[in-house]
Amino acid sequence: MCGIFGYIGKSEAVPFIVEGLKKLEYRGYDSAGVATYEHGRIFVSKCEGKIAELEELLTDKPIGGEMGIGHTRWATHGSPSDVNSHPHTSCDGKIALVHNGIIENYLELRRKLSEEGHKFKSTTDTEVIVHLVEKYYKGDLEKAMRQALQEVTGSYAIAAICEQEPGKIVCARKGSPLIVGLSDNEAFISSDIPAIIKYTSKVIYLEDEEVATIQRKKIQISTLDGKPVKRKPTLISWDPESAEKGGYAHFMLKEIHEQPGAIRKTIAHRVNVDSAKVHFDELNLEPKEIRHFNRIIFTACGTSWHAALVGEYLMERYAKIPVEVEYAAEFRYREPIVDDKTLLIAVSQSGETADTLGAVWEAKARGAKVISICNVVGSSLARESHGVIYTDAGPEIGVASTKAFTTQLAVIYLLTVLFGQVRKTLPQAKAIQMINNLMEIPDKMERVLAKEADVEKLSEKFYNSTNALYLGRGKGFPVALEGALKLKEVSYIHAEGYPAAEMKHGPIALIDKNMPVVVLAMHGRRYDKILGNIEEVKARGGIVIAIASEGDQMVKEKADEIIYIPASTEAVSPMLAVVPLQLFAYYIAVKRGCHVDQPRNLAKSVTVE
Ligand code: F6R
């Protein structure tokens, strides 16, 4: 949930670390800090607030050195404050350490260490680790780290430096990501790739329960119990520009605009348009297995869960296989009934969401086959799954997920076609037609994006609202959920997504003249019914904002506001319909003065339960 960045090289470390932390700020932004080594001493600078505040502090009181570690925090244990900020230091100040994750047995460890004389300064769980390392330190930081980590339970990505061992950063991970970037004369550590891609594309992913000692020109990895590990670096193909705002005011806006390109990239190498053949390189599913499954369970959190819900509608209709969609955190602790005829599909942008990973472990332990749909190559989820399909969305940095969602939809759609073909539930002519419909989406999306100014104007009318309802039917329902989630997370307006037919069973009581009701009213099998739901809202004085298919007059007559999107089949329509809702949420948030890319209390990747 926090971000870690480290540098060791021949230049001043602080500018690299601050720059790296800025890229990681989406992971947490309630406090930040840095520790460097220079002339035989460790220097620490840290404070509550965003990286900008740390930068000011570092300008007032600079700290130097050619190696260091930094941290941006999203508080779990201990409120955001100067003293709870990382790095934490040992009693003698000779070891500094940053941590991402949760130490579950920290209270017990803290009590023991206090009895042994260690003095705690903060109320964090992290501080126990640095005291444990201090306790075991006998001139070898890596060894002390290994001994300390034998005693902790929970999850961690850790980086530490020590006054007696200049030129070394010692790191470890379990359940939280950590990447080492290698360049000719320097090395980096980071919680994710966008923060280092500017400096190098050669990276090593640390695996769970590994410890690494990083020197300027050398990296040495071993397991927690001391067995050496050999790992070749991976070359990352992301373009460094993709981690920059590229002239847009916010990452969220940039990422909304990147969607047509991201979908093109995601589908291009996977389909043959003429034969409707779909191919996924790392799926690792034999046709006979696809026929063997009698059930699919999708699991995910947040926006990814909404994409999974579209998957339920698609898979059941075209591949004729029963589907359930589970919130990962509920699934994993429910003693789910799962066997080898169950396919679990985990959906996640980051591939590091703790609940989703937990659901995968649970399903695997119960004999299910697991595939993941994920945006980050080499992420924990990808590595834990039997097969993986990567969405080629490129780095998603805005905390509110946008292009990850639409590329997930594209992948789930293609997977449905594949399953329908293999299970012989999808006639070839229909499969060809479905592929053609998908191929049209990027161009149609561009046409939706061309209406940005209209959506911005619309947001002017509604940015002072305090509530909003989003209604949809069929595949419009997950889009309603997603539209509502986008609005609440970036603008802090209370919003509910609801199946339109369910409205009359309760939420209809909320409707009055101040209630904007966004209705997904595109052409499709439930079109007449949605018109009826619009009437119900209007009869109670609500304000209807409709998303409708181009040329539709019926909806226009009934709705107060209308945004047209190009006509499409229902199966692909979520990819188009969500775009105006993303823009609507974005512009409302901007007008309300909200911090769009870093909404309060949120973090991009939720690596704690
Ligand atoms: C909403 C959002 C979150 C994530 C959720 C799962 O805009 O970004 O709801 O979708 O935290 O994250 P991933 O997809 O990384 O597992």
Side-chain angles (χ1 to χ4, degrees), residues 300-305 347-353 356 396 398-402 408 482 485-486 489 603-606:
C301 303
T303 289
S304 299
W305 190 87
V347 188
S348 171
Q349 187 285 127
S350 61
E352 300 296 344
T353 302
T356 309
E396 190 181 68
V399 166
S401 187
T402 52
Q408 285 165 353
E482 177 58 9
L485 178 62
K486 286 290 89 88
E489 69 183 328
K604 179 75 182 157
S605 106
V606 185

Side-chain angles (χ1 to χ4, degrees), residues 399-473:
V399 166
S401 187
T402 52
K403 61 178 179 171
F405 177 68
T406 44
T407 52
Q408 285 165 353
L409 292 178
V411 159
I412 290 170
Y413 183 91
L414 285 179
L415 196 63
T416 304
V417 173
L418 177 70
F419 272 46
Q421 289 174 319
V422 174
R423 294 169 69 86
K424 302 206 182 325
T425 54
L426 191 64
Q428 176 68 355
K430 177 73 185 165
I432 292 178
Q433 191 194 336
M434 284 182 75
I435 296 295
N436 279 311
N437 295 340
L438 179 64
M439 300 309 284
E440 287 175 2
I441 286 297
D443 289 354
K444 288 184 174 177
M445 232 178 200
E446 269 159 12
R447 280 162 56 199
V448 182
L449 288 166
K451 301 194 171 182
E452 182 174 356
D454 299 343
V455 182
E456 184 178 4
K457 237 193 232 153
L458 191 67
S459 70
E460 260 157 38
K461 294 191 189 168
F462 294 101
Y463 77 95
N464 278 323
S465 300
T466 47
N467 291 290
L469 258 184
Y470 284 68
L471 303 178
R473 281 175 175 260

Side-chain angles (χ1 to χ4, degrees), residues 302-303 306 401 405 477-487 578 582:
T303 289
H306 299 154
S401 187
F405 177 68
F477 164 51
V479 180
L481 291 175
E482 177 58 9
L485 178 62
K486 286 290 89 88
L487 187 70
V578 75
Q582 295 167 341

Side-chain angles (χ1 to χ4, degrees), residues 15-28:
F16 283 100
I17 296 172
V18 168
E19 183 70 22
L21 292 180
K22 281 186 187 162
K23 289 263 159 42
L24 294 170
E25 203 170 15
Y26 71 87
R27 298 175 67 86

